Amino acid sequence: TTTTATASAPAATPTTAAPTTPTGGTVTIATLPTPAEPPVNEPESAAATPGSSGNVAVVVGSSPSTGVESTTTAAPVAVSLSWPANAFEGPVTVQVTPQIQAAVPAGGIAPAPLPVTGGLAVGTTVVQINLTTAAGEAVTQFNAPLVIHISSLGSGQMPAYSHNGTTWTMIPQLSSPNLPDGQPDSYFINPDRSIDIYTRHATLFGLLLDTQAPTKPIVTARITGAKLRLTTRATDNVAVTSYRLLENGHLVKRTTQPDLVLTSHIGRFQIVAVDGAGNLSRTSTPILVTRTSTKGHPLRIKE
């Protein structure tokens, strides 16, 4: 169930401009209004016409729990939708509606993220995009990609879209800000950690949280000459992005490679797999390297 709430923009606060002295010596003080901050959690819409580019922007923030003061809300995130001049064949109305998540009540515990399929959960930045003709008919596809700009990509968040709010499809990442022909969606991470989602359809878009840890790594080992070689296999609902090597219970190395080559020495070696959201797997079964009395082979792997 999606909780919806709105918050009106704060009233503009007048500011006083620097006094000016016209001819004659009389001082005039002009009062200028301060531009109002954009409203939080309010839907916004704009008209789009063929041959003209445009955009519409909203601010998505947490909604306080009913009747309880909220002290730990997520920072508002700016989301804007823009379109090129050749996107539409006729006039349409473009609307972006924030889907608001509950905030943490004062002195309370944060509500668990709303789980969805595949070990993921809905995060705090979700928007519904609707495009309609003057006759009220939905427009779901266009001649050129639209761009959804999200001001901040948090740790462990991944862009996805959904047609029903329950089943989500992950959006693949681009290596450059250009959506290939025939690809419906992709996203690009900008240097400031904002992201641009390029899409050829209108639906529900959001940043999802990966809540599922990788599987417990299966590690195989062999000693070759003076080297200990560890090969790791682990899977994840999204992707394993790195590994941690523990020696005798202590972290000694972080790597993105599943294969490790170490100087052969006695010890107890284990691997932990890590995904992009920072979820840690269970520690692998220990690999024990011990001494042996066999001439020419001073170390062995204990089964």
Side-chain angles (χ1 to χ4, degrees), residues 26-266:
T26 303
V27 176
T28 303
I29 299 178
T31 301
L32 303 175
T34 300
E37 295 181 1
V40 178
N41 297 331
E42 296 253 352
E44 296 290 338
S45 60
T49 56
S52 299
S53 60
N55 71 86
V56 60
V58 298
V59 177
V60 184
S62 298
S63 173
S65 301
T66 305
V68 180
E69 181 184 0
S70 175
T71 59
T72 53
T73 60
V77 176
V79 180
S80 64
L81 173 67
S82 59
W83 54 91
N86 63 334
F88 309 115
E89 294 184 355
V92 300
T93 298
V94 182
Q95 179 166 309
V96 180
T97 304
Q99 307 294 300
I100 305 153
Q101 309 300 309
V104 182
I109 300 175
L114 180 65
V116 294
T117 57
L120 303 169
V122 175
T124 57
T125 305
V126 180
V127 295
Q128 174 72 52
I129 295 175
N130 292 311
L131 294 91
T132 53
T133 65
E137 298 175 344
V139 178
T140 57
Q141 296 185 348
F142 352 101
N143 299 329
L146 309 186
V147 181
I148 305 168
H149 180 79
I150 302 178
S151 64
S152 176
L153 179 65
S155 175
Q157 294 183 331
M158 294 163 293
Y161 71 86
S162 174
H163 297 305
N164 56 19
T166 302
T167 303
W168 290 78
T169 300
M170 306 309 300
I171 299 175
Q173 184 175 348
L174 291 167
S175 58
S176 62
N178 186 24
L179 184 63
D181 292 340
Q183 190 164 319
D185 306 273
S186 281
Y187 75 97
F188 179 76
I189 301 179
N190 300 303
D192 63 356
R193 292 294 295 174
S194 66
I195 68 168
D196 291 316
I197 299 174
Y198 298 82
T199 180
R200 289 189 168 96
H201 61 117
T203 187
L204 196 66
F205 290 88
L207 299 180
L208 267 59
L209 301 170
D210 181 2
T211 60
Q212 182 172 309
T215 59
K216 177 181 176 180
I218 298 174
V219 182
T220 56
R222 71 180 188 275
I223 295 175
T224 305
K227 300 296 183 181
L228 170 65
R229 300 176 183 271
L230 302 177
T231 300
T232 304
R233 289 190 293 112
T235 61
D236 186 64
N237 61 316
V238 178
V240 175
T241 58
S242 64
Y243 303 86
R244 299 181 183 182
L245 171 65
L246 306 181
E247 182 177 338
N248 299 325
H250 301 286
L251 176 65
V252 294
K253 186 177 182 63
R254 301 173 190 262
T255 179
T256 59
Q257 301 302 316
D259 299 316
L260 290 172
V261 179
L262 313 170
T263 301
S264 181
H265 57 281
I266 63 171

Side-chain angles (χ1 to χ4, degrees), residues 264-283:
S264 181
H265 57 281
I266 63 171
R268 182 172 179 265
F269 301 90
Q270 293 171 285
I271 299 290
V272 174
V274 188
D275 65 18
N279 296 311
L280 305 180
S281 73
R282 294 166 55 199
T283 306

Side-chain angles (χ1 to χ4, degrees), residues 21-26:
T21 307
T23 305
T26 303

